[in-house]
Amino acid sequence: MATLCFQSPTKPISYFHPKSKPSPPLSTKVSLFRCRASLQTLVAVEPEPVFTSVKTFAPATVANLGPGFDFLGCAVDGLGDHVTLRVDPSVRAGEVLISEITGTTTKLTTNPLRNCAGIAAIATMKMLGIRSVGLSLDLHKGLPLGSGLGSSAASAAAAAVAVNEIFGRKLGKGELVLAGLESEAKVSGYHADNIAPAIMGGFVLIRSYEPLDLKPLRFPEDKELFFVLVSPEFEAPTKKMRAALPTEIPMVHHVWNSSQAAALVAAVLEGDAAMLGKALSSDKVVEPTRAPLIPGMEAVKKAALEGGAFGCTISGAGPTAVAVVDAAEKGEEVGERMVEAFMRGGNLKAVACVKKLDKIGARLVSSISR
């Protein structure tokens, strides 16, 4: 199995009881240093390309889902990034050239060693043992940077899937998540709650990081679920928002968040949008430290709940706010209220959209055979 080296940027967290000094039964130090192994080649024989060109898409994602910090996330339909990948004889064998970046931003570097898509593409090539073919990559950004919708993960997922597809789909989704994590670790921190659902689709639980253990959570087909995504004109870089996290939390908050995360998982599996929303709204650890950094966020959450949403929280590191409803029409109404609240409470313009769950994840859109 492929392994990755990383050290989480998050500081160690202490859990303590608010009425006493930390003691062994009530205090837990969480070590966030990981193994120092490197990505391994997983294919015995270097595969040949089966396409000369492929185009892939990877969806936006909502990470954390309130109490599920760094271990719960889901993919949302209709928003995301595209990658076009070509076999290119002018590119040195075993390397990737980023030839063009278009879309919502053009300020990203084309250096593949510092670009989300480039890093993931190189990691996937390493897993496949590609040494004889050079590739050129075009990235079309459908997601803005620092939006809280998994922008870096979408680029990485689309690139990893593109490389895998062009060489005959030799790697599984779990292995592609590892390749995407190589990118996330260098860009925004080692966390899989964006990259896993971006590649796998649906809801995903990260049970363990060492070793990586991913659990898809199936929302029932006969149940309705809509996400109201409201994005203000405000950038919240993931690294900055992670730096704001507390280094200590009361034991009572740890217990509360654990119970809410468990309730959220149960709600997903049962298709209970109301319970899902209630659990999503109940984070007492991360949201309280990040919400004040997003102008108007508290007013937006209040407006969503008063408008009939089952729940509302920050999507990922923000600044996008996400609310949960069970009808598209209700979602439109809630979205209007949230946009107004961003302006009223934070003096920020915002746009709203209502999206369903993306159950597929990153996928091939088109291809040209050799």
Side-chain angles (χ1 to χ4, degrees):
M1 180 180 177
T3 55
L4 288 167
C5 62
F6 73 98
Q7 175 184 339
S8 171
T10 309
K11 297 176 183 178
I13 298 174
S14 299
Y15 301 113
F16 66 91
H17 193 282
K19 295 184 179 180
S20 64
K21 295 182 179 180
S23 58
L26 294 173
S27 177
T28 304
K29 292 288 185 180
V30 182
S31 173
L32 295 170
F33 290 86
R34 308 298 186 193
C35 64
R36 288 291 174 185
S38 60
L39 281 173
Q40 301 171 0
T41 299
L42 303 180
V43 179
V45 178
E46 179 182 354
E48 294 185 1
V50 297
F51 300 113
T52 58
S53 175
V54 297
K55 184 177 182 180
T56 56
F57 170 80
T61 48
V62 175
N64 302 337
L65 296 169
F69 178 69
D70 275 6
F71 65 87
L72 284 172
C74 69
V76 293
D77 185 48
L79 302 172
D81 289 359
H82 286 88
V83 160
T84 300
L85 190 70
R86 296 175 296 276
V87 174
D88 192 337
S90 68
V91 178
R92 184 179 299 177
E95 295 187 2
V96 176
L97 169 71
I98 298 179
S99 53
E100 187 178 30
I101 299 175
T102 58
T104 58
T105 181
T106 57
K107 66 180 183 179
L108 291 173
T109 179
T110 56
N111 180 346
L113 299 178
R114 298 176 60 193
N115 179 284
C116 305
I119 296 168
I122 291 168
T124 309
M125 291 175 74
K126 184 172 183 180
M127 285 182 165
L128 291 168
I130 304 302
R131 297 176 296 275
S132 305
V133 177
L135 303 172
S136 61
L137 183 153
D138 296 343
L139 171 63
H140 181 76
K141 291 295 299 177
L143 297 172
L145 303 180
S147 61
L149 292 172
S151 179
S152 62
S155 297
V161 169
V163 173
N164 192 41
E165 290 289 344
I166 211 167
F167 289 104
R169 200 182 296 177
K170 304 295 183 182
L171 302 176
K173 289 190 174 184
E175 292 152 344
L176 294 177
V177 171
L178 281 175
L181 273 171
E182 181 88 343
S183 173
E184 290 286 82
K186 293 180 180 178
V187 175
S188 62
Y190 193 94
H191 55 95
D193 47 348
N194 287 116
I195 190 66
I199 288 175
M200 301 171 69
F203 288 91
V204 179
L205 164 69
I206 297 93
R207 191 199 67 81
S208 167
Y209 277 94
E210 188 184 343
L212 186 66
D213 188 2
L214 307 172
K215 300 296 182 185
L217 305 174
R218 305 301 181 193
F219 192 85
E221 295 285 346
D222 61 339
K223 301 290 186 177
E224 292 288 355
L225 180 67
F226 294 86
F227 300 95
V228 184
L229 303 171
V230 181
S231 300
E233 293 182 354
F234 182 80
E235 189 171 330
T238 301
K239 286 187 176 181
K240 177 182 177 181
M241 298 301 278
R242 291 181 81 86
L245 298 176
T247 57
E248 293 184 338
I249 62 172
M251 175 62 80
V252 64
H253 288 175
H254 166 59
V255 173
W256 171 264
N257 264 42
S258 297
S259 67
Q260 298 310 305
L264 197 151
V265 170
V268 170
L269 297 176
E270 294 175 4
D272 188 337
M275 183 166 69
L276 192 158
K278 185 178 292 187
L280 176 140
S281 282
S282 301
D283 174 30
K284 290 187 177 181
V285 175
V286 176
E287 184 183 315
T289 65
R290 287 178 167 174
L293 303 178
I294 303 171
M297 181 62 212
E298 292 180 5
V300 170
K301 181 171 183 174
K302 182 179 179 182
L305 297 177
E306 290 179 349
F310 294 129
C312 178
T313 190
I314 302 169
S315 177
T320 295
V322 56
V324 174
V325 296
D326 61 359
E329 297 78 10
K330 173 60 70 176
E332 297 290 347
E333 296 173 10
V334 169
E336 290 178 8
R337 287 174 173 258
M338 293 169 71
V339 168
E340 292 171 0
F342 259 127
M343 177 55 71
R344 185 177 63 253
N347 198 31
L348 293 176
K349 293 181 180 179
V351 293
C353 61
V354 181
K355 299 295 181 182
K356 300 191 76 170
L357 185 70
D358 184 313
K359 299 181 180 180
I360 302 173
R363 62 264 201 183
L364 180 68
V365 174
S366 62
S367 60
I368 299 175
S369 299
R370 298 190 73 188

